[in-house]
Amino acid sequence: MSSATISKEVAEAVYSRGLEGIIAGETSICSVEQGGLLYRGYEIHDLAANATFEEVAFVLLEGAKPDARQLARFKQELVAERALPASILQFLKDVGPALKAGTAVPMDVCRTAVSLLGHIDPDCQDNSAAANLRKAKRLLAKMPAIIGHMQNVIDGKPFVRPETGGDPTLSHAANLLYLMTGQKPVEEYARCVDVSLILYAEHDFNASTFTSRVIAGTLSDMHGAVCGGIAALKGPLHGGANEAAMEMLKRIDAWVAKGGTVEGYMDNAFATKEKLMGFGHRVYKNGDHRAPILGALGREIARKQGPNSLKWFDMGDKVQKIMLEKKNIHPNVDFPCGMTYFVMGIPVPQYTPIFVASRVSGWCAHVMEQHANNRIIRPLSKYTGAPLRPWKG
Ligand SMILES: CC(C)(COP(=O)(O)OP(=O)(O)OC[C@H]1O[C@@H](n2cnc3c(N)ncnc32)[C@H](O)[C@@H]1OP(=O)(O)O)[C@@H](O)C(=O)NCCC(=O)NCCS
C-alpha cells in the first residue's frame, strides 16, 4: 500500500483552485450564466416582475409552475406549518442573553433552530422523495417565525402571534416583516422583500448549496444538509456579504463625516487589499443579473423617504463607479440588498437570515435532486505535505 510515488490517477487529474471552472455535477433546477439566470427555465427578470416568492418556491420544490389550485394548496400547507414548537420558542428565549451579548449571532441561531427542529420532525431520518418534500415545506414555512421570534427576543418584546407563526392572511415575505416588528408592512415593502426572496431563492452550485449537496450525497438527512447550508451561507464571502456591504457603507459614511471622501476610502481599501463587500462574483464577471432589479426597488423606496435614505444609494453609486473604473469589478446582489433592507429599517444582523428564509427552498430542491440520483461527492486533493518518511528512527 505505502508508496512514495503519486498515482497516475492523481497525476493526471485536473486541479483548479477553489474548484473554479469545474463542473461538479448535474442539475435541472437552475442555470447560472453571464448570459442569464434561469430557475427551471424561467428567467429571473420575468420571475421578479411577474411571480411571487411562493410561486417560485413551488417551481423549485415541485418542479413546475403551479396552477391556481396547486398554488392555493401549497400556500395553505405553508401557513399550516408556520408555528414553531414550544421547544424552539423556549430555545429562542434561552439564547436571548447570548444574542444580546453578541456571543450568539442570528445566523448561528437559525442553524441551531433547524438542527433542533430535526429532532422532533417525524420524517427526519426518512430520505424518501415524499418525506423530503414534507420536510422542505416545514423548514421553508418555519424560517420566518425563527427569524421574527428571534428578533422579538432581541427587542425584549413578546413573540408576535406564536400560536400561528404570524398572520395566516399574509404572504411569506409580508409575514416575515410582520413577525419581526408586530406591524403589518405596507404593500411596497412587502413586495420589495418578496422580490428579494425571489432573487435569493436559488443559484446552482454556490458554496452553501454545494455544501448541502455534499452532505446529502452521503445519504445524510435534509435537516443536516440545511444546517450545513446555513453555516456556509453565513460567511462574508457568500451570503454574509449583504450585512458586510451595509457595514462597509456605514464605515464610508463615517469616513466622509470626518472630512474624507468616498474616493479616499476606496483608494485606502485598494492599498490595504481590503475586500469591497458586495462586489465580485465567481461566475458573473460582467455583472450580476439580480443586482439592478433589487437596486431599482430599494432606490425607489429611499427616494420616497427623502434625502437621509437616498444618500446611501448615492454613496453606493459612487462606490460602484469607482470599483468599475479602477478594478473592473461589478456589484453582486448583496450590495443593493444591504442598502434596500437598511432603508426599510430591518436590523442588519437579520439580512443573512432573511436570505436563509428564501434559499432554504433552493437547498431543499438540491437535497431532493441529490437523493434522487445519488453518487457520493468525493474529489481528490493535491498533496503538498512532507514526503514519505519513516516513523521509527
Ligand atoms: C465573490 C468572491 C468571493 C469571488 O471570488 P473569486 O472568484 O475568487 O474572485 P476572482 O478570482 O474573480 O478575483 C479576481 C481579483 O479580483 C479581486 N477581487 C474580487 N472581488 C473583490 C472585491 N470584492 N474587492 C476587492 N477585490 C476583489 C480579487 O482579490 C482578485 O485579485 P488578485 O488577482 O489581485 O488576487 C469575491 O469577489 C469576493 O470576495 N467578493 C466580496 C464578498 C462578496 O460580495 N460576496 C458575495 C458573492 S455573491
Side-chain angles (χ1 to χ4, degrees), residues 54-55 58-59 62-78 137:
E54 279 85 340
E55 287 171 313
F58 186 98
V59 168
E62 305 228 19
K65 184 178 169 185
D67 61 26
R69 192 184 49 80
Q70 288 169 319
L71 182 63
R73 190 250 307 146
F74 183 67
K75 284 199 213 169
Q76 246 172 23
E77 286 172 335
L78 293 184
K137 288 176 189 170

Side-chain angles (χ1 to χ4, degrees), residues 279-296:
F279 284 86
H281 198 272
R282 175 57 65 80
V283 180
Y284 303 132
K285 298 303 180 196
N286 297 317
D288 180 335
H289 310 289
R290 304 162 299 175
I293 301 174
L294 193 52

Side-chain angles (χ1 to χ4, degrees), residues 236-238 241 275-282 285 329 332 334:
L237 299 191
H238 188 14
K275 278 227 163 150
L276 277 295
M277 289 302 170
F279 284 86
H281 198 272
R282 175 57 65 80
K285 298 303 180 196
I329 298 178
N332 56 58
D334 294 313

Side-chain angles (χ1 to χ4, degrees), residues 119-392:
H119 299 323
I120 48 178
D121 191 309
D123 291 315
C124 188
Q125 311 307 331
D126 183 348
N127 289 344
S128 67
N132 273 346
L133 186 56
R134 287 194 294 272
K135 287 187 280 189
K137 288 176 189 170
R138 287 183 199 125
L139 282 169
L140 175 61
K142 286 179 168 53
M143 277 320 304
I146 293 170
I147 298 164
H149 294 332
M150 178 186 354
Q151 189 58 41
N152 303 153
V153 168
I154 293 169
D155 293 338
K157 293 187 178 158
F159 292 137
V160 175
R161 296 184 61 180
E163 63 293 342
T164 45
D167 182 332
T169 65
L170 295 178
S171 69
H172 193 73
N175 193 48
L176 172 61
L177 293 173
Y178 173 60
L179 283 162
M180 291 177 83
T181 61
Q183 307 290 319
K184 288 188 190 168
V186 295
E187 177 54 34
E188 187 179 24
Y189 287 20
R191 178 58 187 158
C192 183
V193 171
D194 191 64
V195 171
S196 76
L197 300 183
I198 291 172
L199 302 177
Y200 269 147
E202 167 53 15
H203 221 213
D204 83 0
F205 280 22
N206 60 87
S208 58
T209 304
F210 192 62
T211 303
S212 294
R213 285 195 79 128
V214 170
I215 294 170
T218 68
L219 298 184
S220 187
D221 68 283
M222 183 171 274
H223 283 81
V226 170
C227 286
I230 294 173
L233 191 77
K234 175 190 171 191
L237 299 191
H238 188 14
N242 58 7
E243 296 176 21
M246 192 60 222
E247 294 299 353
M248 183 188 75
L249 284 175
K250 287 200 227 166
R251 285 197 300 280
I252 299 178
D253 189 47
W255 174 283
V256 171
K258 281 193 203 143
T261 60
V262 176
E263 292 76 9
Y265 181 95
M266 302 280 289
D267 285 341
N268 187 55
F270 297 146
T272 57
K273 297 246 176 234
E274 175 190 326
K275 278 227 163 150
L276 277 295
M277 289 302 170
F279 284 86
H281 198 272
R282 175 57 65 80
V283 180
Y284 303 132
K285 298 303 180 196
N286 297 317
D288 180 335
H289 310 289
R290 304 162 299 175
I293 301 174
L294 193 52
L297 292 178
R299 177 174 269 282
E300 182 54 15
I301 287 175
R303 190 189 63 75
K304 287 182 186 154
Q305 288 178 351
N308 285 345
S309 295
L310 208 50
K311 79 167 189 183
W312 298 105
F313 285 84
D314 292 341
M315 191 194 297
D317 284 350
K318 278 192 192 163
V319 174
Q320 268 179 235
K321 191 164 173 284
I322 296 167
M323 270 304 262
L324 207 53
E325 279 170 8
K326 298 203 172 172
K327 295 281 172 188
N328 195 26
I329 298 178
H330 294 258
N332 56 58
V333 66
D334 294 313
F335 191 65
C337 178
M339 297 184 272
T340 301
Y341 286 174
F342 190 76
V343 298
M344 281 193 282
I346 299 172
V348 177
Q350 298 290 13
Y351 294 2
T352 320
I354 293 174
F355 194 156
V356 174
S358 162
R359 183 59 62 86
V360 67
S361 57
W363 292 329
C364 291
H366 278 272
V367 169
M368 290 191 274
E369 190 176 57
Q370 186 70 36
H371 279 164
N373 182 19
N374 190 56
R375 186 160 193 232
I376 193 167
I377 299 170
R378 203 306 184 189
L380 301 170
S381 71
K382 185 174 171 165
Y383 180 63
T384 58
L388 182 66
R389 50 185 164 167
W391 182 254
K392 273 199 202 167

